[in-house]
Amino acid sequence: MSDQAAGGDALAGGDRNPAEGDRNPAEGDAPPFVALDGVWREFGGSRRTPPTAALAGVDLAVRSGRSVGIVGESGAGKSTLLRLLLGLDSPTRGTVSYRGAPLDRRDRALMRRYRREVQVVLQDPRTSLDPRMTVARIVAEPLRSLKIGGDVSARVDEVLGWVGLDPDARTKYPAQFSGGQRQRIAIARALAPSPSVLVGDEPVSALDVSVREQVMDLLRRLQSELGLTLVLVSHDMAIVGQLCEETVVLRGGEVVEAGPTREVLTRPTAAYTRELLAAVPTLP
């Protein structure tokens, strides 16, 4: 199966331009799905040396059904922010909230529910997929670890169909697939527990350019058809511009600019944002 064939009609539905920034009227005054309020994350430090701040007073709100891009160069704090959003770390100061209530990592029942709702697709499927496991075992992994009942085999087939892979893929191993197809397997695994939020950590940067467009189109379709909230962590402003309604720009652990993607791309207020935009390659 080619990536081109797999990228066709995995889900029905028309294309939409996420940069338009249209807000869902049903959102109302509901609290954000996850929010960071004045969050600091510091590492190291001693009586003689102060700690290093990977994040410094970050505010961020991810509302249900929206798509948010988090951009910045290496060392900007994206990975630290990602760990907080995934519930893998706690802030040194400030609050991380989940549906309006503090996200307490000591509450095991709460964290099990949160981790079912928030799933991640990592950058390189060559390292994020266990080469010793069949596709069926890989996709079913979160169902078993989160103790989600039901017909696991049927669910595996269902999500494989959503990402454009045939059911016979379930008996194969990651090495038998192309890079784009492996990333589709990773997306299927993330979708298996029916998450509300799909977090992408540079999910297309390891792919060839032609395959990258197909996977980005798949992410757009999944978000629209399944009503997913999408959080995309990237260093590439062009990718964020195609997939996200809102953009947050990080530099040195601080938010230097945030707002609707169209405004950030066309009327940036921060000099650093303009530098990132200038680095985006364009055709003459």
Side-chain angles (χ1 to χ4, degrees):
M1 182 193 311
S2 68
D3 285 313
Q4 184 67 42
D9 299 321
L11 293 172
D15 292 335
R16 57 193 292 271
N17 184 354
E20 292 294 341
D22 53 320
R23 181 170 294 280
N24 183 356
E27 281 181 3
D29 296 324
F33 179 90
V34 61
L36 278 64
D37 184 14
V39 162
W40 287 71
R41 184 63 176 100
E42 298 168 320
F43 296 94
S46 66
R47 288 182 296 178
R48 295 185 178 182
T49 59
T52 300
L55 295 176
V58 170
D59 296 323
L60 173 68
V62 178
R63 296 193 174 275
S64 296
R66 305 289 285 176
S67 52
V68 180
I70 301 170
V71 297
E73 61 189 346
S74 178
K78 301 190 302 296
S79 296
T80 302
L81 181 55
L82 179 68
R83 288 181 58 81
L84 293 174
L85 290 174
L86 294 175
L88 300 175
D89 196 6
S90 298
T92 308
R93 287 178 276 165
T95 305
V96 178
S97 300
Y98 165 43
R99 298 191 183 276
L103 183 64
D104 185 354
R105 294 179 65 238
R106 297 167 297 182
D107 186 333
R108 297 180 65 180
L110 173 67
M111 292 309 299
R112 182 181 295 276
R113 186 164 67 251
Y114 184 76
R115 285 173 178 146
R116 176 172 180 170
E117 285 211 78
V118 181
Q119 289 288 308
V120 64
V121 179
L122 298 174
Q123 178 177 2
D124 191 348
R126 292 175 298 180
T127 56
S128 67
L129 303 179
D130 190 332
R132 300 165 298 181
M133 295 171 63
T134 64
V135 168
R137 286 186 62 199
I138 289 171
V139 176
E141 190 175 20
L143 300 175
R144 296 193 172 96
S145 64
L146 293 169
K147 297 180 171 58
I148 299 173
D151 190 334
V152 172
S153 180
R155 181 61 175 171
V156 168
D157 287 343
E158 181 178 34
V159 294
L160 286 177
W162 286 353
V163 300
L165 293 175
D166 296 329
D168 61 2
R170 60 182 295 129
T171 61
K172 298 178 181 178
Y173 292 85
Q176 296 175 264
F177 296 90
S178 68
Q181 290 170 335
R182 283 195 292 263
Q183 195 63 305
R184 290 172 187 273
I185 295 167
I187 294 171
R189 176 177 61 184
L191 295 175
S194 300
S196 300
V197 178
L198 189 64
V199 178
D201 181 13
E202 304 274 11
V204 299
S205 63
L207 305 177
D208 294 338
V209 174
S210 60
V211 178
R212 184 180 304 177
E213 290 295 329
Q214 297 167 26
V215 174
M216 287 170 60
D217 181 63
L218 173 63
L219 291 172
R220 274 191 292 265
R221 289 174 179 270
L222 289 169
Q223 200 229 345
S224 176
E225 294 296 319
L226 301 179
L228 290 169
T229 302
L230 180 65
V231 179
L232 182 67
V233 179
S234 179
H235 68 280
D236 192 325
M237 294 288 282
I239 291 173
V240 168
Q242 292 186 57
L243 288 176
C244 299
E245 298 157 293
E246 301 167 16
T247 297
V248 176
V249 183
L250 281 179
R251 184 182 192 185
E254 298 182 12
V255 175
V256 298
E257 186 157 3
T261 297
R262 182 175 295 280
E263 292 186 12
V264 172
L265 294 183
T266 59
R267 293 184 295 275
T269 59
Y272 177 66
T273 307
R274 292 193 289 272
E275 292 175 12
L276 291 178
L277 289 170
V280 176
T282 57
L283 294 175

